[in-house]
Amino acid sequence: MSTARQLAAYASVGAVATAAHYVVLIGLVENAGWRAVPATLCGYMVGGVVAYVLNRRHVFASDRPHAEATWRFALVAFIGFCVTFVLMSLFVDRWGAPYLPAQLVTTVAAMFATFALNRRWTFG
């Protein structure tokens, strides 16, 4: 699969994973009274599980053993988690931005970083 097609498929999987992320984020903020940063990090973890399953099968068609791919994916997800934490902390806590637009920008930035790492290292 070409890089462009793979990136498009990755973005599609990301949309599904992001939907799961946002459901958790919005539910925790609006219904449970959580602050935006901890809520987005919980959502990020839920989205990560969805992303692993769909990316392994549909985007990268990887035959790397789960025992190896899982920890690699988790490490890349942790890097994305850190990017998410830093950017959301800056946007929301430091600059007072609304949490949903801040999350949108954060999601796109994390997507490009994690695609490159997952393509080359996790599933490659």
Side-chain angles (χ1 to χ4, degrees):
M1 181 183 308
S2 73
T3 301
R5 287 188 64 198
Q6 213 169 28
L7 182 57
Y10 190 80
S12 296
V13 165
V16 173
T18 298
H21 176 164
Y22 280 41
V23 164
V24 172
L25 166 63
I26 293 166
L28 290 174
V29 170
E30 300 299 332
N31 298 323
W34 284 36
R35 290 182 39 244
V37 173
T40 199
L41 296 176
C42 286
Y44 188 89
M45 290 188 298
V46 170
V49 171
V50 171
Y52 174 79
V53 171
L54 296 177
N55 278 314
R56 178 180 171 81
R57 176 178 278 281
H58 299 292
V59 177
F60 301 106
S62 179
D63 59 357
R64 185 180 298 269
H66 283 293
E68 189 176 337
T70 303
W71 74 262
R72 287 176 179 230
F73 187 85
L75 185 57
V76 171
F78 179 71
I79 292 166
F81 185 90
C82 292
V83 169
T84 299
F85 173 75
V86 167
L87 292 178
M88 284 296 287
S89 294
L90 285 173
F91 292 146
V92 175
D93 291 341
R94 178 163 276 197
W95 298 330
Y99 76 93
L100 287 176
Q103 182 62 67
L104 197 62
V105 171
T106 298
T107 297
V108 171
M111 181 192 74
F112 282 108
T114 59
F115 172 75
L117 291 168
N118 279 319
R119 183 171 193 264
R120 290 192 180 269
W121 187 63
T122 305
F123 298 114

